[in-house]
Amino acid sequence: MSIIPNFFGNRGTNNVFDPFSLDVWDPFQDFPFSSPTSSSALSMPRSELSKETSQLASTRIDWKETPEVHIFRADLPGVKKEEVKVEVEEGRVLQISGERSRESEEKNDKWHRVERSSGKFLRRFRLPENTKVDEVKAAMENGVLTVTVPKVEEKKPEVKSIQISG
């Protein structure tokens, strides 16, 4: 038994300095939030609830702005383009959502480590006012989703030279 607590969750290893761990210690793990009148989301153990929410936020997305466009890139390995939805909601909100299918398990399979996430994911971004939301384009290639949002062309202020008399 270790004197140092395992701050990175119970992963079957007691090495607190595991550099490959992405687990985050949750002091309220398995804390019962349920009551006879609570909703279903709050009645599940906190560890299940945090797994659900971590899957929603686990999709990493890069957002780059150039003089002409905003570019969003999401790594979605193993996800088909039919399983991804890209929408622009009212109020210039870009929403990228989808679901990663869970791999089927055989009865005799023995898993040593499960690190790939599965389940639903959802990310939302409020677009700046200078975007053309009617011209958004999305493409999926080699497991990378690229969403391109064109920007409204900025009119440069017209400068008129005034002749100084005298």
Side-chain angles (χ1 to χ4, degrees):
M1 182 167 165
S2 174
I3 296 174
I4 301 172
N6 187 353
F7 290 110
F8 298 108
N10 187 6
R11 300 179 324 275
T13 176
N14 288 329
N15 185 356
V16 75
F17 301 107
D18 182 1
F20 300 106
S21 171
L22 295 177
D23 298 337
V24 178
W25 176 62
D26 183 1
F28 299 107
Q29 184 172 356
D30 297 324
F31 186 80
F33 285 102
S34 60
S35 71
T37 59
S38 66
S39 69
S40 61
L42 293 178
S43 63
M44 67 175 67
R46 183 158 168 92
S47 60
E48 273 184 49
L49 187 60
S50 62
K51 284 178 190 172
E52 280 290 316
T53 54
S54 69
Q55 287 175 357
L56 291 176
S58 67
T59 303
R60 305 283 189 235
I61 297 181
D62 296 336
W63 178 358
K64 174 174 80 170
E65 181 178 0
T66 69
E68 299 85 25
V69 295
H70 291 272
I71 300 172
F72 296 85
R73 285 201 177 95
D75 289 337
L76 300 172
V79 179
K80 300 174 191 151
K81 70 178 185 177
E82 295 82 18
E83 299 173 326
V84 179
K85 275 184 13 182
V86 178
E87 302 169 310
V88 178
E89 296 178 348
E90 198 172 316
R92 296 181 325 277
V93 176
L94 175 68
Q95 178 172 302
I96 301 171
S97 62
E99 185 168 0
R100 283 189 183 96
S101 314
R102 182 171 290 200
E103 194 170 318
S104 63
E105 292 186 31
E106 297 294 324
K107 186 177 182 180
N108 297 329
D109 289 347
K110 179 180 178 184
W111 292 87
H112 293 277
R113 190 161 181 110
V114 177
E115 294 184 342
R116 297 182 305 149
S117 63
S118 62
K120 296 180 181 181
F121 59 89
L122 169 74
R123 294 294 306 271
R124 300 176 79 190
F125 301 92
R126 181 164 306 279
L127 298 171
E129 289 186 30
N130 66 345
T131 55
K132 297 179 183 177
V133 293
D134 298 336
E135 298 178 23
V136 175
K137 294 186 177 156
M140 184 92 135
E141 186 176 335
N142 296 327
V144 178
L145 173 69
T146 303
V147 180
T148 307
V149 184
K151 292 167 67 174
V152 175
E153 295 175 21
E154 292 183 25
K155 292 185 177 182
K156 295 181 180 177
E158 195 174 305
V159 178
K160 184 177 177 184
S161 226
I162 307 297
Q163 187 69 27
I164 302 173
S165 62

